[in-house]
């Protein structure tokens, strides 16, 4: 588990944008890549499979087809969920080297654990990118999503609900290519003036560079860990489901209570 | 010759057009197609409008129904339910069956636009708090799909809302029932209506307003910007190539100009109630 408290080698960057982030790669053992990302009160678990066999309907002869499945916090699917899927999918279609794996599918599953609605979209994009990083799929660049809220004449980056007092309800979620600093995707909510939008987009571009630091540290943390057998399951007994714990205890030669 | 090239190398042909700054249908890069708005075509609906932009046409009908507000919802607010259908008849790309992802996302976008713009204060849809509120079912059907459906659908929805006349309804507290007088109808008080403009991006920098179907298939990215009066209510760039912020600023300026044109069109259509044309 890494958090923003860890000091980066680059040092002095002001890191307000990722203060509330925590993430961990490789949390699930049965998929090709997985990540959890918490951003304030929003937590998303992402898993990727691929390149895998593709459904004939979706097969593309020149590239891999990318499928995104989003499960909202309430369980009931709605049209809003399709919009989240659409944004994540179209972002990944741009950054993954899909042409390397023609006639296959890359599937990304996003599961929302907790949400405060505003930061959901950017957290989903970042979690999907972290999961793809974990699966080592080749990517052209790393997209980074940031949500900005204008309050008065200031712009807040990834604000917590308590910090957004006094905002008019407008927000901008922008996805940047962290290499070239160009805008990949953008979606606004609520009312904004043209000036507010411009300042939000510029602020988001600055903050996207910090999200890249988070990606870098997440990968560094993953490779600094002791290599673990993915079949071994959770290493600590308290992380195991009760049924596993019993089995594991017997294998380890502990006293059986039955 | 041009027909052969269009079939074999549509992208190269389009690039040639862009070099001459004229599009295949003769428009300049920042010109929209001729747009037509007709209000009140459907007599069985409470409000209706038909919009056509080039070969893209969308029909919108609004049906008002009464319902009891849900217990977890605000008791003094009605509902608006926009639903865009992209049936198989509008384009060969669509197949009959459950609503496609495009139709679902467009419906969600229309609802978001209406809510963000504040055009319709939903407390106006309340008949008696906690007892009866109006639900406006806004059914939009795309009759012909030649690119840029969201802009046309939003224009149709806005025009249909100005055409909407709600029957007067009263809650009889003693008998605990609703009395509706369908003959007495009043229009809603509407704020600034949301109006959208879509731009297609070619060569990472070139912006093309109001893309037709072919252009939509060829373009590298598309940006939709919606305005309600002077405030922006939606900027949506989903997928496609990366853009510089300067290109984004030009998108905002161009879309603002287009939304003012559309507003003018909607205003004269509101006054006369007849067919109006605009560039």
């Amino acid at each position: 588990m890494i958090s923003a408290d860890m000091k980066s080698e680059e040092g002095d960057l002001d890191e307000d944008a990722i203060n509330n982030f925590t993430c961990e790669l490789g949390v699930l053992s049965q998929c090709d890549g997985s990540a959890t990302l918490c951003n304030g009160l929003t937590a998303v678990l992402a898993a990727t499979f691929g390149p895998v066999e593709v459904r004939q309907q979706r097969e593309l002869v020149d590239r891999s087809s990318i499928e995104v499945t989003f499960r909202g916090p309430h369980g009931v699917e709605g049209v809003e969920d399709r919009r989240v899927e659409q944004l994540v999918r179209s972002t990944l279609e741009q950054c993954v080297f899909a042409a390397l794996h023609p006639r296959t599918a890359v599937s990304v599953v996003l599961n929302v654990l907790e949400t405060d609605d505003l930061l959901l979209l950017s957290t989903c994009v970042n979690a999907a990118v972290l999961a793809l990083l974990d699966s080592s799929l080749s990517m052209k660049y790393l997209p980074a999503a940031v949500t900005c809220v204008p309050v008065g004449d200031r712009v807040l980056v990834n604000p917590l609900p308590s910090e957004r007092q006094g905002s008019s309800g407008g927000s901008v979620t922008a996805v940047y290519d962290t290499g070239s600093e160009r805008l990949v995707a953008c979606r606004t909510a609520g009312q904004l003036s043209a000036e507010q939008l411009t300042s939000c987009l510029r602020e988001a571009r600055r903050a996207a560079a910090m999200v890249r630091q988070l990606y870098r540290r997440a990968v560094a943390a993953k490779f600094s860990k002791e290599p673990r057998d993915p079949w071994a399951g959770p290493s600590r007994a308290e992380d195991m489901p009760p049924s596993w714990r019993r089995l594991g205890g017997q294998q380890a030669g502990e006293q059986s209570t039955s | 010759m041009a027909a052969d090239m269009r079939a074999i190398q549509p992208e190269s042909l389009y690039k040639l057009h862009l070099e001459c700054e004229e599009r295949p249908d003769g428009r300049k890069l920042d010109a929209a197609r001729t747009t037509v708005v007709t209000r009140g075509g459907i007599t069985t609906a409470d409000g209706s409008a038909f919009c056509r932009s080039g070969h893209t046409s969308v029909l919108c009908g609004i049906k008002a129904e009464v319902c009891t507000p849900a217990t977890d919802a605000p008791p003094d607010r009605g509902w608006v339910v926009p639903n865009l259908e992209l049936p198989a008849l509008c384009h060969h790309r669509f197949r009959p069956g459950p609503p496609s992802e495009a139709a679902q996302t467009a419906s969600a976008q229309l609802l978001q636009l209406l809510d963000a713009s504040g055009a319709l204060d939903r407390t106006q849809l309340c008949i008696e708090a906690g007892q009866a509120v109006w639900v406006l079912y806004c059914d939009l059907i795309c009759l012909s799909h030649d690119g840029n459906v969201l802009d046309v659908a939003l224009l149709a929805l806005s025009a249909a809302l100005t055409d909407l006349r709600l029957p007067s309804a009263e809650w009889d507290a003693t008998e605990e029932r609703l009395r509706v007088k369908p003959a007495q109808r009043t229009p809603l008080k509407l704020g600034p209506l949301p109006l959208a403009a879509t731009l297609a991006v070619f060569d990472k920098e070139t912006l093309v307003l109001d893309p037709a179907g072919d252009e939509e298939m060829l373009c590298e990215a598309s940006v939709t910007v919606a305005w309600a009066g002077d405030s922006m209510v939606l900027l949506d760039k989903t997928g496609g190539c990366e853009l510089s912020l300067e290109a984004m600023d030009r998108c905002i300026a161009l879309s603002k100009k287009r939304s003012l044109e559309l507003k003018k069109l909607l205003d004269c259509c509101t006054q006369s109630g007849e067919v109006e044309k605009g560039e």
Side-chain angles (χ1 to χ4, degrees), chain A residues 1-2 21 32 37 65 85 90 92 112-114 127 171 178 244:
Chain A
M1 181 81 75
I2 69 142
F21 276 80
D32 296 323
L37 178 64
S65 111
E85 284 176 8
S90 58
L92 297 182
V112 178
L113 307 176
E114 270 183 86
S171 71
T178 48
W244 283 28

Side-chain angles (χ1 to χ4, degrees), chain B residues 44 48 94 100 116 143 151 161 168-169 201 207 271 277 279:
Chain B
T44 48
S48 64
F94 300 105
S100 60
L143 299 174
D151 293 8
L161 278 175
S168 73
V201 183
L207 300 174
Q271 280 155 17
K277 284 193 181 193
E279 273 298 316

Side-chain angles (χ1 to χ4, degrees), chain B:
Chain B
M1 177 63 196
D4 294 348
M5 203 169 164
R6 187 174 302 136
I8 302 164
Q9 292 179 306
E11 288 176 34
S12 315
L13 179 70
Y14 198 78
K15 292 236 163 86
L16 288 178
H17 274 288
L18 285 182
E19 276 169 27
C20 312
E21 300 216 333
E22 190 178 281
R23 291 147 78 175
D25 51 8
R27 282 186 285 161
K28 293 279 168 219
L29 299 190
D30 59 350
R33 295 171 284 186
T34 306
T35 310
V36 181
V37 180
T38 317
R39 295 191 317 142
I42 311 172
T43 49
T44 48
D46 296 303
S48 64
F50 171 74
C51 282
R52 185 166 68 76
S53 178
H55 293 293
T56 300
S57 48
V58 175
L59 183 66
C60 175
I62 301 182
K63 191 94 191 110
E65 285 181 19
V66 178
C67 84
T68 317
T71 43
D72 57 344
D76 60 342
R77 278 175 198 205
W79 301 93
V80 186
V81 188
N83 184 34
L84 176 69
E85 250 184 80
L86 296 171
L89 69 86
C90 71
H91 196 271
H92 60 77
R93 200 169 69 222
F94 300 105
R95 303 251 165 253
S100 60
E101 194 203 60
Q104 289 189 43
T105 51
S107 301
Q109 227 162 8
L110 288 172
L111 181 62
Q112 191 204 330
L113 278 164
L114 261 192
D115 281 345
S117 67
L120 179 60
D121 178 12
R122 288 200 279 129
T123 51
Q124 283 184 61
L125 301 176
C126 174
I127 302 168
E128 179 72 30
Q131 301 291 346
V133 291
W134 288 110
V135 192
L136 302 181
Y137 290 104
C138 311
D139 290 316
L140 297 118
I141 295 177
C142 177
L143 299 174
S144 164
H145 186 307
D146 189 26
N148 207 3
V149 167
L150 186 79
D151 293 8
V152 185
L154 187 64
L155 184 63
L157 180 60
S158 292
L161 278 175
T162 59
D163 182 55
L164 178 68
R165 300 285 183 274
L166 276 184
S168 73
E170 268 176 32
W171 180 257
D172 192 334
T174 49
E175 287 186 40
E176 293 208 338
R177 58 184 287 256
L178 191 73
R179 296 180 189 283
V180 183
K181 293 173 190 153
Q184 291 175 18
R185 285 171 182 267
T186 45
L188 291 170
K189 289 188 192 72
L190 296 171
L193 290 161
L195 294 164
T198 298
L199 295 125
V201 183
F202 290 89
D203 291 337
K204 302 220 170 199
E205 290 295 327
T206 316
L207 300 174
V208 169
L209 185 69
D210 189 17
D214 297 345
E215 295 172 322
E216 215 167 52
M217 300 303 281
L218 289 172
C219 73
E220 291 162 2
S222 76
V223 182
T224 302
V225 191
W227 296 82
D230 283 331
S231 52
M232 181 187 299
V233 285
L234 177 82
L235 186 146
D236 194 346
K237 179 195 180 296
T238 306
C241 72
E242 305 83 53
L243 270 186
S244 64
L245 289 185
E246 291 68 40
M248 212 54 163
D249 290 341
R250 278 193 292 135
C251 283
I252 294 169
L254 277 169
S255 66
K256 174 89 192 174
K257 201 171 130 230
R258 170 69 177 155
S259 78
L260 288 177
E261 284 171 12
L262 286 176
K263 182 167 187 310
K264 211 180 281 174
L265 174 68
L266 204 59
D267 283 346
C268 31
C269 150
T270 309
Q271 280 155 17
S272 64
E274 287 297 316
V275 181
E276 287 292 339
K277 284 193 181 193
E279 273 298 316

Side-chain angles (χ1 to χ4, degrees), chain A residues 42 76 78 97-99 105 120 128 147 153 162 169 171 175 179 188 218 230-231 253 257:
Chain A
T42 306
V76 188
F97 270 116
L120 181 63
T147 301
D153 49 1
S162 55
S171 71
V175 186
T188 67
W231 298 98
T257 50

